[in-house]
Amino acid sequence: MTLPQTIPLFKGRRILLGITGSIAAYKAADLASKLTQAGAQVEVLLSEAAQKFISPLTFQSVTGRRAYTDKDLWSTEAHILHVGLAEYADLLIIAPATANTLAKIAHGQADSLITITALAAKCPMLVAPAMDANMFEQPVTQSNIETLIGRGVAIVGPVEGRMASGQIGLGRFIEPDELLGHIRLALGRHGPLEGLRVIVTAAGTQEPIDSVRSIANSSSGKQGYALAQAAIDRGAEVTLISGVSHLSPPIGAEVISLRTAAEMQQAVLEHVEKTDVLLMAAAVADFRPIKVHVEKLKKSKGIPDIKLEPTEDILGLVAQKQEANGWPRLSVGFAAESENLVDNARAKLEEKNLSLIVANDISLPDAGFEVDTNRVTLIDSEGGVQELPLMSKVEVSEVVLQRVIQLLETLE
Ligand SMILES: Cc1cc2nc3c(=O)[nH]c(=O)nc-3n(C[C@H](O)[C@H](O)[C@H](O)COP(=O)(O)O)c2cc1C
């Protein structure tokens, strides 16, 4: 996951990042840097052992803030440092967490800046262990982890892989990018969409012609995956129904991967019950071959005569369901248009009973399929038209989710 710009979820949030004495400590510098770039105020705390692997100066340089060590605990400069740090924190992360620190915090031991702060903090805690597989497998380590989970601490990782000792097994520090996904999940939990169910459809469908060929489109899934992440950032329970995409789904989303328009229709209709918001960002095929050849078509047999039929109108079927039982409470459609953008999008909005439509002009090189940016116009059911400037797909998602929250408020 790349975080190219400030993310509203992180803006002004105070994150304590405790780093302990593992070889993986150097990876925490990347994490601290990404969190800072995303807009968080990152306060770094290093154990004595952590400083054998990486210096406070590294963290000071990437966060622009002083990094604290045990020496600061006893200094007269700050007024009871650990209490001050703990009091205003939104999240305490210990990453990497050694077996030693896990044991200490599991038992309430408080003999270092990190462990005292962990005891004083009332905010959610996220711990990412890293150690040799033998250390991780030890019943005592496992029992410490169970104790922490029982107390509501989120344990993230470790993962399988090669460790610095040469051992291969379970104990490797989770990659910072993935850890970031877990941090977003933890930070967003009590956001404005807490307790609400959101379905996002994303990426393009493929309609098979024969055993190896299909009719596809070039949708990458970038916009849909960004929308799913933005909904998770706001505390929603997200189901991501995805066509073919190589992207990693956001941490915390329930993912349903599929290929064809028919499969997408089935998945959407099955899940739409009791769903608050449906965001239909997938590029669903409009046509599919009537006949799918089981074997690969032979070139020597000449140009095949491929007859097409229309695929299901998923949003149309959703609109019928919505009329019958009220679910989803709110539908948002996406229209990729190459001409008459606003008129075509408005017609779709009315026909499909949508609350909002996000229209993008795919005739422009910097908008639409595959690229990271989009130039969209938001049209709502009240007739409001909001033309947005060129933005990243991540930024578009933020704006769309803000609008969704406003629209939900009007329904209450
Ligand atoms: C080279 C080296 C690498 C180490 N790597 C780890 C590690 O990955 N995980 C771990 O739990 N302990 C590791 N240790 C042991 C810890 O550094 C040691 O238990 C230390 O007391 C931890 O202190 P802290 O938890 O306060 O940082 C390592 C020790 C050395 C010398």
Side-chain angles (χ1 to χ4, degrees):
M1 184 197 305
T2 48
L3 290 176
Q5 66 257 309
T6 309
I7 302 289
L9 172 68
F10 289 100
K11 237 176 144 217
R13 305 299 281 276
R14 199 155 179 225
I15 296 177
L16 302 183
L17 176 59
I19 294 142
T20 63
S22 156
I23 302 163
Y26 73 93
K27 293 188 178 174
D30 184 29
L31 180 66
S33 167
K34 285 189 165 131
L35 289 170
T36 307
Q37 285 175 52
Q41 181 181 321
V42 185
E43 308 280 7
V44 171
L45 288 58
L46 290 128
S47 74
E48 287 302 304
Q51 291 168 73
K52 308 261 187 233
F53 296 94
I54 190 160
S55 91
L57 186 62
T58 307
F59 291 96
Q60 227 154 282
S61 311
V62 296
T63 65
R65 310 180 68 81
R66 171 157 184 206
Y68 297 102
T69 66
D70 284 0
K71 277 195 196 81
D72 299 303
L73 189 59
W74 303 107
S75 95
T76 48
E77 252 179 63
H79 176 67
I80 318 185
L81 180 62
H82 59 281
V83 175
L85 287 172
E87 196 170 343
Y88 300 106
D90 292 300
L91 183 68
L92 168 61
I93 305 165
I94 304 183
T98 58
N100 176 57
T101 294
L102 278 177
K104 285 184 182 179
I105 57 172
H107 293 90
Q109 200 172 326
D111 62 354
S112 66
L113 178 58
I114 291 176
T115 53
I116 305 174
T117 307
L119 202 56
K122 290 212 167 123
C123 62
M125 196 191 306
L126 191 150
V127 172
M131 63 199 72
D132 255 10
N134 290 346
M135 291 168 76
F136 184 68
E137 278 166 17
Q138 278 294 343
V140 65
T141 305
Q142 288 302 313
S143 147
N144 290 335
I145 286 175
E146 287 306 316
T147 302
L148 291 171
I149 291 172
R151 257 186 240 141
V153 174
I155 303 287
V156 181
V159 294
E160 290 260 2
R162 189 183 180 281
M163 277 150 284
S165 61
Q167 224 182 32
I168 293 174
L170 189 61
R172 205 178 141 84
F173 185 54
I174 189 169
E175 287 305 318
D177 275 351
E178 211 175 316
L179 182 51
L180 214 43
H182 290 274
I183 293 168
R184 291 177 85 151
L185 188 62
L187 265 186
R189 186 149 286 140
H190 301 300
L193 293 179
E194 184 181 15
L196 300 191
R197 280 169 51 99
V198 173
I199 291 181
V200 182
T201 70
T205 58
Q206 290 184 355
E207 306 304 324
I209 296 169
D210 64 14
S211 58
V212 292
R213 302 181 182 94
S214 59
I215 298 177
N217 61 65
S218 22
S219 169
S220 61
K222 281 180 181 162
Q223 187 63 77
Y225 279 49
L227 285 162
Q229 180 66 71
I232 290 169
D233 283 354
R234 288 162 176 79
E237 209 181 289
V238 173
T239 301
L240 174 61
I241 301 178
S242 177
V244 182
S245 173
H246 67 274
L247 299 174
S248 305
I251 301 285
E254 179 202 4
V255 184
I256 298 168
S257 300
L258 41 77
R259 189 175 173 208
T260 66
E263 288 163 359
M264 175 105 26
Q265 177 209 340
Q266 195 188 349
V268 170
L269 295 182
E270 254 175 46
H271 287 80
V272 87
E273 202 87 350
K274 304 266 186 295
T275 285
D276 297 282
V277 182
L278 171 66
L279 299 162
M280 278 287 285
V284 183
D286 291 325
F287 311 103
R288 72 174 149 235
I290 293 176
K291 181 174 161 44
V292 180
H293 295 264
V294 185
E295 304 292 339
K296 181 181 171 216
L297 289 167
K298 285 254 179 279
K299 192 177 179 183
S300 57
K301 296 237 168 105
I303 298 169
D305 181 17
I306 300 168
K307 290 216 161 43
L308 303 176
E309 64 180 359
T311 58
E312 297 74 13
D313 172 12
I314 302 177
L315 272 176
L317 293 168
V318 168
Q320 284 173 20
K321 274 212 160 207
Q322 195 179 35
E323 213 166 286
N325 61 19
W327 302 105
R329 287 167 63 211
L330 202 148
S331 291
V332 178
F334 284 71
E337 302 288 348
S338 49
E339 53 192 340
N340 298 332
L341 183 76
V342 173
D343 288 346
N344 286 343
R346 192 176 278 136
K348 187 172 170 183
L349 174 98
E350 281 161 18
E351 193 190 325
K352 310 286 164 72
N353 197 25
L354 304 173
S355 301
L356 185 72
I357 193 155
V358 183
N360 63 341
D361 186 346
I362 51 169
S363 65
L364 303 168
D366 51 10
F369 289 180
E370 292 179 301
V371 292
D372 285 329
T373 49
N374 227 349
R375 197 185 289 275
V376 303
T377 302
L378 305 184
I379 304 157
D380 63 37
S381 51
E382 304 294 311
V385 176
Q386 184 186 6
E387 205 176 312
L388 298 176
L390 183 70
M391 287 179 164
S392 72
K393 287 182 176 172
V394 170
E395 287 169 323
V396 169
S397 306
E398 297 294 335
V399 177
V400 170
L401 263 295
Q402 282 317 108
R403 285 297 293 273
V404 163
I405 290 167
Q406 286 166 1
L407 289 166
L408 282 171
E409 281 165 2
T410 65
L411 298 181
E412 279 157 9

Short mmCIF file of all heavy atoms in Angstrom, two decimals, residues 258-308:
data_model
loop_
_atom_site.label_atom_id
_atom_site.label_comp_id
_atom_site.label_asym_id
_atom_site.label_seq_id
_atom_site.Cartn_x
_atom_site.Cartn_y
_atom_site.Cartn_z
N LEU A 258 -14.22 -12.76 -8.06
CA LEU A 258 -14.96 -13.48 -9.08
C LEU A 258 -14.52 -13.00 -10.46
O LEU A 258 -13.66 -12.12 -10.59
CB LEU A 258 -16.47 -13.29 -8.86
CG LEU A 258 -16.93 -11.88 -8.46
CD1 LEU A 258 -16.94 -10.97 -9.65
CD2 LEU A 258 -18.27 -11.93 -7.79
N ARG A 259 -15.16 -13.59 -11.48
CA ARG A 259 -14.70 -13.28 -12.82
C ARG A 259 -15.78 -12.67 -13.72
O ARG A 259 -15.55 -11.66 -14.36
CB ARG A 259 -14.17 -14.58 -13.45
CG ARG A 259 -13.48 -14.35 -14.76
CD ARG A 259 -12.87 -15.61 -15.30
NE ARG A 259 -12.35 -15.39 -16.63
CZ ARG A 259 -12.24 -16.32 -17.55
NH1 ARG A 259 -12.62 -17.55 -17.28
NH2 ARG A 259 -11.77 -16.02 -18.74
N THR A 260 -16.96 -13.25 -13.75
CA THR A 260 -17.93 -12.83 -14.76
C THR A 260 -19.01 -11.90 -14.19
O THR A 260 -19.20 -11.80 -12.98
CB THR A 260 -18.64 -14.07 -15.36
OG1 THR A 260 -19.42 -14.67 -14.32
CG2 THR A 260 -17.66 -15.07 -15.92
N ALA A 261 -19.73 -11.27 -15.13
CA ALA A 261 -20.83 -10.38 -14.74
C ALA A 261 -21.91 -11.17 -14.00
O ALA A 261 -22.50 -10.68 -13.03
CB ALA A 261 -21.40 -9.72 -15.99
N ALA A 262 -22.15 -12.41 -14.45
CA ALA A 262 -23.19 -13.23 -13.80
C ALA A 262 -22.80 -13.53 -12.35
O ALA A 262 -23.64 -13.48 -11.45
CB ALA A 262 -23.38 -14.52 -14.58
N GLU A 263 -21.51 -13.82 -12.14
CA GLU A 263 -21.04 -14.09 -10.77
C GLU A 263 -21.14 -12.82 -9.92
O GLU A 263 -21.49 -12.86 -8.74
CB GLU A 263 -19.59 -14.59 -10.79
CG GLU A 263 -19.45 -16.00 -11.32
CD GLU A 263 -18.01 -16.35 -11.72
OE1 GLU A 263 -17.10 -15.50 -11.61
OE2 GLU A 263 -17.81 -17.48 -12.18
N MET A 264 -20.85 -11.69 -10.55
CA MET A 264 -20.94 -10.41 -9.82
C MET A 264 -22.39 -10.15 -9.42
O MET A 264 -22.68 -9.74 -8.30
CB MET A 264 -20.37 -9.29 -10.69
CG MET A 264 -20.51 -7.94 -10.11
SD MET A 264 -19.14 -7.05 -9.40
CE MET A 264 -17.63 -7.40 -9.95
N GLN A 265 -23.29 -10.40 -10.34
CA GLN A 265 -24.71 -10.19 -10.05
C GLN A 265 -25.14 -11.05 -8.85
O GLN A 265 -25.76 -10.56 -7.92
CB GLN A 265 -25.55 -10.57 -11.27
CG GLN A 265 -27.05 -10.45 -11.01
CD GLN A 265 -27.85 -11.43 -11.85
OE1 GLN A 265 -27.37 -11.93 -12.87
NE2 GLN A 265 -29.06 -11.70 -11.45
N GLN A 266 -24.76 -12.32 -8.91
CA GLN A 266 -25.16 -13.24 -7.84
C GLN A 266 -24.60 -12.77 -6.48
O GLN A 266 -25.32 -12.72 -5.48
CB GLN A 266 -24.64 -14.64 -8.16
CG GLN A 266 -25.30 -15.70 -7.33
CD GLN A 266 -24.65 -17.05 -7.51
OE1 GLN A 266 -23.82 -17.24 -8.42
NE2 GLN A 266 -24.99 -17.98 -6.66
N ALA A 267 -23.31 -12.39 -6.49
CA ALA A 267 -22.67 -11.98 -5.23
C ALA A 267 -23.32 -10.71 -4.68
O ALA A 267 -23.58 -10.60 -3.48
CB ALA A 267 -21.18 -11.76 -5.46
N VAL A 268 -23.60 -9.75 -5.56
CA VAL A 268 -24.19 -8.48 -5.09
C VAL A 268 -25.58 -8.74 -4.51
O VAL A 268 -25.90 -8.31 -3.40
CB VAL A 268 -24.24 -7.43 -6.22
CG1 VAL A 268 -25.06 -6.21 -5.81
CG2 VAL A 268 -22.83 -6.99 -6.61
N LEU A 269 -26.40 -9.49 -5.27
CA LEU A 269 -27.78 -9.71 -4.80
C LEU A 269 -27.82 -10.53 -3.51
O LEU A 269 -28.66 -10.31 -2.65
CB LEU A 269 -28.62 -10.36 -5.90
CG LEU A 269 -28.83 -9.47 -7.15
CD1 LEU A 269 -29.71 -10.16 -8.16
CD2 LEU A 269 -29.41 -8.10 -6.79
N GLU A 270 -26.88 -11.44 -3.37
CA GLU A 270 -26.82 -12.26 -2.15
C GLU A 270 -26.46 -11.42 -0.93
O GLU A 270 -26.92 -11.68 0.16
CB GLU A 270 -25.73 -13.33 -2.32
CG GLU A 270 -26.28 -14.73 -2.55
CD GLU A 270 -25.15 -15.68 -2.83
OE1 GLU A 270 -24.11 -15.65 -2.09
OE2 GLU A 270 -25.28 -16.43 -3.79
N HIS A 271 -25.59 -10.43 -1.13
CA HIS A 271 -25.05 -9.68 0.01
C HIS A 271 -25.76 -8.36 0.30
O HIS A 271 -25.55 -7.75 1.34
CB HIS A 271 -23.55 -9.39 -0.19
CG HIS A 271 -22.73 -10.61 0.00
ND1 HIS A 271 -22.59 -11.57 -0.96
CD2 HIS A 271 -22.03 -11.06 1.08
CE1 HIS A 271 -21.84 -12.54 -0.51
NE2 HIS A 271 -21.48 -12.26 0.73
N VAL A 272 -26.59 -7.92 -0.64
CA VAL A 272 -27.12 -6.56 -0.53
C VAL A 272 -28.15 -6.41 0.60
O VAL A 272 -28.37 -5.31 1.11
CB VAL A 272 -27.66 -6.11 -1.92
CG1 VAL A 272 -29.10 -6.54 -2.12
CG2 VAL A 272 -27.46 -4.64 -2.11
N GLU A 273 -28.73 -7.56 0.98
CA GLU A 273 -29.68 -7.56 2.12
C GLU A 273 -28.97 -7.01 3.36
O GLU A 273 -27.84 -7.39 3.63
CB GLU A 273 -30.11 -9.02 2.35
CG GLU A 273 -31.40 -9.15 3.08
CD GLU A 273 -32.61 -9.12 2.13
OE1 GLU A 273 -32.44 -8.81 0.95
OE2 GLU A 273 -33.70 -9.40 2.63
N LYS A 274 -29.61 -6.15 4.09
CA LYS A 274 -29.07 -5.58 5.33
C LYS A 274 -27.79 -4.75 5.10
O LYS A 274 -27.00 -4.53 6.00
CB LYS A 274 -28.75 -6.66 6.37
CG LYS A 274 -29.93 -7.55 6.73
CD LYS A 274 -30.65 -7.00 7.97
CE LYS A 274 -31.74 -7.91 8.47
NZ LYS A 274 -32.88 -8.11 7.59
N THR A 275 -27.61 -4.32 3.85
CA THR A 275 -26.45 -3.47 3.55
C THR A 275 -26.89 -2.01 3.54
O THR A 275 -27.93 -1.68 2.99
CB THR A 275 -25.85 -3.87 2.18
OG1 THR A 275 -25.14 -5.09 2.38
CG2 THR A 275 -24.90 -2.83 1.65
N ASP A 276 -26.09 -1.17 4.17
CA ASP A 276 -26.46 0.24 4.24
C ASP A 276 -26.10 0.97 2.95
O ASP A 276 -26.87 1.77 2.45
CB ASP A 276 -25.77 0.89 5.45
CG ASP A 276 -26.24 0.26 6.74
OD1 ASP A 276 -27.35 0.60 7.17
OD2 ASP A 276 -25.55 -0.61 7.28
N VAL A 277 -24.89 0.70 2.46
CA VAL A 277 -24.41 1.45 1.29
C VAL A 277 -23.83 0.49 0.25
O VAL A 277 -23.03 -0.39 0.59
CB VAL A 277 -23.29 2.45 1.71
CG1 VAL A 277 -22.81 3.26 0.52
CG2 VAL A 277 -23.77 3.37 2.82
N LEU A 278 -24.25 0.68 -0.99
CA LEU A 278 -23.66 -0.09 -2.09
C LEU A 278 -22.91 0.89 -2.99
O LEU A 278 -23.50 1.87 -3.48
CB LEU A 278 -24.75 -0.81 -2.89
CG LEU A 278 -24.32 -1.46 -4.20
CD1 LEU A 278 -23.35 -2.63 -3.93
CD2 LEU A 278 -25.52 -1.96 -5.00
N LEU A 279 -21.63 0.64 -3.18
CA LEU A 279 -20.81 1.49 -4.07
C LEU A 279 -20.42 0.63 -5.27
O LEU A 279 -19.58 -0.26 -5.16
CB LEU A 279 -19.55 1.97 -3.34
CG LEU A 279 -19.78 2.82 -2.07
CD1 LEU A 279 -18.53 2.86 -1.22
CD2 LEU A 279 -20.18 4.24 -2.46
N MET A 280 -21.06 0.88 -6.40
CA MET A 280 -20.84 0.03 -7.57
C MET A 280 -19.77 0.61 -8.49
O MET A 280 -20.08 1.28 -9.47
CB MET A 280 -22.16 -0.11 -8.35
CG MET A 280 -23.10 -1.16 -7.78
SD MET A 280 -22.58 -2.86 -8.09
CE MET A 280 -22.98 -3.05 -9.80
N ALA A 281 -18.52 0.35 -8.16
CA ALA A 281 -17.41 0.91 -8.95
C ALA A 281 -16.85 -0.08 -9.96
O ALA A 281 -15.93 0.25 -10.70
CB ALA A 281 -16.30 1.39 -8.00
N ALA A 282 -17.38 -1.30 -9.99
CA ALA A 282 -16.84 -2.30 -10.92
C ALA A 282 -17.19 -1.94 -12.35
O ALA A 282 -18.22 -1.32 -12.62
CB ALA A 282 -17.40 -3.67 -10.57
N ALA A 283 -16.30 -2.33 -13.26
CA ALA A 283 -16.59 -2.18 -14.68
C ALA A 283 -17.15 -3.52 -15.15
O ALA A 283 -16.40 -4.45 -15.47
CB ALA A 283 -15.33 -1.82 -15.44
N VAL A 284 -18.46 -3.61 -15.12
CA VAL A 284 -19.12 -4.89 -15.46
C VAL A 284 -19.37 -4.93 -16.96
O VAL A 284 -19.85 -3.96 -17.54
CB VAL A 284 -20.46 -5.00 -14.68
CG1 VAL A 284 -21.12 -6.35 -14.97
CG2 VAL A 284 -20.25 -4.82 -13.19
N ALA A 285 -19.05 -6.07 -17.56
CA ALA A 285 -19.24 -6.21 -19.01
C ALA A 285 -20.70 -6.01 -19.37
O ALA A 285 -21.60 -6.44 -18.63
CB ALA A 285 -18.80 -7.60 -19.44
N ASP A 286 -20.95 -5.34 -20.50
CA ASP A 286 -22.33 -5.15 -20.96
C ASP A 286 -22.79 -6.31 -21.84
O ASP A 286 -23.98 -6.56 -21.98
CB ASP A 286 -22.43 -3.84 -21.77
CG ASP A 286 -22.25 -2.62 -20.87
OD1 ASP A 286 -22.69 -2.68 -19.70
OD2 ASP A 286 -21.63 -1.63 -21.31
N PHE A 287 -21.81 -6.99 -22.44
CA PHE A 287 -22.14 -8.10 -23.35
C PHE A 287 -21.26 -9.30 -23.02
O PHE A 287 -20.14 -9.14 -22.54
CB PHE A 287 -21.88 -7.71 -24.81
CG PHE A 287 -22.47 -6.37 -25.18
CD1 PHE A 287 -21.67 -5.24 -25.27
CD2 PHE A 287 -23.84 -6.26 -25.42
CE1 PHE A 287 -22.21 -4.00 -25.59
CE2 PHE A 287 -24.38 -5.03 -25.74
CZ PHE A 287 -23.58 -3.90 -25.83
N ARG A 288 -21.78 -10.49 -23.34
CA ARG A 288 -20.96 -11.70 -23.20
C ARG A 288 -21.27 -12.64 -24.35
O ARG A 288 -22.38 -12.59 -24.91
CB ARG A 288 -21.25 -12.38 -21.87
CG ARG A 288 -22.59 -13.04 -21.84
CD ARG A 288 -22.86 -13.85 -20.59
NE ARG A 288 -24.30 -13.78 -20.38
CZ ARG A 288 -24.88 -13.36 -19.26
NH1 ARG A 288 -24.15 -13.03 -18.22
NH2 ARG A 288 -26.18 -13.31 -19.17
N PRO A 289 -20.31 -13.50 -24.70
CA PRO A 289 -20.58 -14.47 -25.77
C PRO A 289 -21.72 -15.40 -25.36
O PRO A 289 -21.77 -15.85 -24.21
CB PRO A 289 -19.26 -15.25 -25.88
CG PRO A 289 -18.23 -14.35 -25.29
CD PRO A 289 -18.93 -13.58 -24.21
N ILE A 290 -22.63 -15.66 -26.29
CA ILE A 290 -23.76 -16.56 -25.99
C ILE A 290 -23.22 -17.96 -25.72
O ILE A 290 -23.65 -18.64 -24.80
CB ILE A 290 -24.76 -16.57 -27.17
CG1 ILE A 290 -25.41 -15.18 -27.30
CG2 ILE A 290 -25.80 -17.67 -27.01
CD1 ILE A 290 -26.34 -15.01 -28.48
N LYS A 291 -22.25 -18.36 -26.53
CA LYS A 291 -21.71 -19.72 -26.39
C LYS A 291 -20.25 -19.65 -25.92
O LYS A 291 -19.45 -18.91 -26.50
CB LYS A 291 -21.78 -20.40 -27.75
CG LYS A 291 -21.29 -21.83 -27.78
CD LYS A 291 -21.57 -22.40 -29.17
CE LYS A 291 -20.82 -23.61 -29.55
NZ LYS A 291 -20.55 -24.70 -28.87
N VAL A 292 -19.92 -20.41 -24.89
CA VAL A 292 -18.52 -20.50 -24.44
C VAL A 292 -17.97 -21.83 -24.93
O VAL A 292 -18.51 -22.88 -24.59
CB VAL A 292 -18.42 -20.41 -22.89
CG1 VAL A 292 -16.96 -20.50 -22.45
CG2 VAL A 292 -19.08 -19.14 -22.37
N HIS A 293 -16.92 -21.76 -25.75
CA HIS A 293 -16.32 -23.00 -26.27
C HIS A 293 -15.48 -23.66 -25.18
O HIS A 293 -14.64 -23.00 -24.57
CB HIS A 293 -15.46 -22.69 -27.50
CG HIS A 293 -16.28 -22.16 -28.63
ND1 HIS A 293 -16.75 -22.97 -29.64
CD2 HIS A 293 -16.75 -20.92 -28.89
CE1 HIS A 293 -17.48 -22.23 -30.48
NE2 HIS A 293 -17.48 -20.98 -30.04
N VAL A 294 -15.70 -24.93 -24.96
CA VAL A 294 -14.98 -25.63 -23.89
C VAL A 294 -13.50 -25.76 -24.24
O VAL A 294 -12.62 -25.58 -23.40
CB VAL A 294 -15.60 -27.04 -23.65
CG1 VAL A 294 -14.94 -27.73 -22.46
CG2 VAL A 294 -17.10 -26.93 -23.45
N GLU A 295 -13.22 -26.02 -25.52
CA GLU A 295 -11.82 -26.14 -25.97
C GLU A 295 -11.34 -24.80 -26.51
O GLU A 295 -12.16 -23.96 -26.90
CB GLU A 295 -11.72 -27.17 -27.11
CG GLU A 295 -12.26 -28.56 -26.78
CD GLU A 295 -11.44 -29.27 -25.75
OE1 GLU A 295 -10.26 -28.91 -25.58
OE2 GLU A 295 -11.98 -30.18 -25.08
N LYS A 296 -10.02 -24.64 -26.60
CA LYS A 296 -9.45 -23.44 -27.19
C LYS A 296 -9.78 -23.41 -28.69
O LYS A 296 -9.58 -24.43 -29.38
CB LYS A 296 -7.93 -23.46 -26.97
CG LYS A 296 -7.24 -22.26 -27.52
CD LYS A 296 -5.74 -22.35 -27.29
CE LYS A 296 -5.06 -21.25 -28.05
NZ LYS A 296 -3.79 -21.63 -28.62
N LEU A 297 -10.31 -22.30 -29.16
CA LEU A 297 -10.64 -22.19 -30.59
C LEU A 297 -9.37 -22.25 -31.42
O LEU A 297 -8.39 -21.59 -31.11
CB LEU A 297 -11.39 -20.88 -30.85
CG LEU A 297 -12.82 -20.79 -30.31
CD1 LEU A 297 -13.31 -19.35 -30.35
CD2 LEU A 297 -13.75 -21.70 -31.09
N LYS A 298 -9.41 -23.03 -32.47
CA LYS A 298 -8.21 -23.20 -33.30
C LYS A 298 -8.13 -22.11 -34.37
O LYS A 298 -9.12 -21.83 -35.04
CB LYS A 298 -8.29 -24.58 -34.02
CG LYS A 298 -8.00 -25.75 -33.10
CD LYS A 298 -6.62 -26.31 -33.42
CE LYS A 298 -6.23 -27.45 -32.56
NZ LYS A 298 -5.73 -27.07 -31.25
N LYS A 299 -6.93 -21.54 -34.50
CA LYS A 299 -6.71 -20.50 -35.51
C LYS A 299 -6.98 -21.07 -36.91
O LYS A 299 -7.53 -20.40 -37.78
CB LYS A 299 -5.27 -20.02 -35.39
CG LYS A 299 -4.97 -18.77 -36.16
CD LYS A 299 -3.54 -18.32 -35.91
CE LYS A 299 -3.21 -17.07 -36.69
NZ LYS A 299 -1.82 -16.68 -36.52
N SER A 300 -6.57 -22.33 -37.11
CA SER A 300 -6.69 -22.96 -38.43
C SER A 300 -8.14 -23.11 -38.87
O SER A 300 -8.43 -23.26 -40.04
CB SER A 300 -6.01 -24.33 -38.40
OG SER A 300 -6.60 -25.10 -37.37
N LYS A 301 -9.07 -23.01 -37.90
CA LYS A 301 -10.50 -23.16 -38.27
C LYS A 301 -11.09 -21.83 -38.73
O LYS A 301 -12.29 -21.73 -38.98
CB LYS A 301 -11.29 -23.69 -37.07
CG LYS A 301 -10.87 -25.09 -36.64
CD LYS A 301 -12.07 -26.03 -36.67
CE LYS A 301 -11.67 -27.49 -36.55
NZ LYS A 301 -11.95 -28.04 -35.24
N GLY A 302 -10.28 -20.78 -38.80
CA GLY A 302 -10.76 -19.50 -39.32
C GLY A 302 -11.33 -18.60 -38.23
O GLY A 302 -11.38 -18.98 -37.05
N ILE A 303 -11.77 -17.41 -38.65
CA ILE A 303 -12.26 -16.42 -37.68
C ILE A 303 -13.59 -16.90 -37.10
O ILE A 303 -14.53 -17.20 -37.84
CB ILE A 303 -12.44 -15.04 -38.36
CG1 ILE A 303 -11.08 -14.54 -38.88
CG2 ILE A 303 -13.06 -14.03 -37.40
CD1 ILE A 303 -11.16 -13.34 -39.78
N PRO A 304 -13.66 -17.01 -35.78
CA PRO A 304 -14.91 -17.53 -35.20
C PRO A 304 -16.04 -16.50 -35.27
O PRO A 304 -15.79 -15.30 -35.26
CB PRO A 304 -14.53 -17.82 -33.75
CG PRO A 304 -13.38 -16.92 -33.47
CD PRO A 304 -12.66 -16.70 -34.76
N ASP A 305 -17.22 -16.99 -35.34
CA ASP A 305 -18.40 -16.11 -35.36
C ASP A 305 -18.89 -16.04 -33.90
O ASP A 305 -19.56 -16.96 -33.42
CB ASP A 305 -19.45 -16.73 -36.29
CG ASP A 305 -20.68 -15.86 -36.37
OD1 ASP A 305 -20.59 -14.68 -36.00
OD2 ASP A 305 -21.74 -16.38 -36.78
N ILE A 306 -18.50 -14.98 -33.20
CA ILE A 306 -18.85 -14.88 -31.77
C ILE A 306 -20.11 -14.03 -31.62
O ILE A 306 -20.08 -12.83 -31.90
CB ILE A 306 -17.67 -14.29 -30.96
CG1 ILE A 306 -16.45 -15.20 -31.10
CG2 ILE A 306 -18.05 -14.12 -29.50
CD1 ILE A 306 -15.17 -14.57 -30.59
N LYS A 307 -21.16 -14.65 -31.19
CA LYS A 307 -22.42 -13.90 -31.00
C LYS A 307 -22.53 -13.49 -29.53
O LYS A 307 -22.22 -14.26 -28.62
CB LYS A 307 -23.60 -14.78 -31.37
CG LYS A 307 -23.71 -15.05 -32.85
CD LYS A 307 -25.17 -15.09 -33.30
CE LYS A 307 -25.36 -14.89 -34.78
NZ LYS A 307 -24.41 -15.61 -35.63
N LEU A 308 -22.97 -12.26 -29.34
CA LEU A 308 -23.03 -11.72 -27.98
C LEU A 308 -24.47 -11.56 -27.50
O LEU A 308 -25.39 -11.41 -28.31
CB LEU A 308 -22.33 -10.36 -27.92
CG LEU A 308 -20.87 -10.31 -28.38
CD1 LEU A 308 -20.38 -8.86 -28.34
CD2 LEU A 308 -20.00 -11.17 -27.49
#
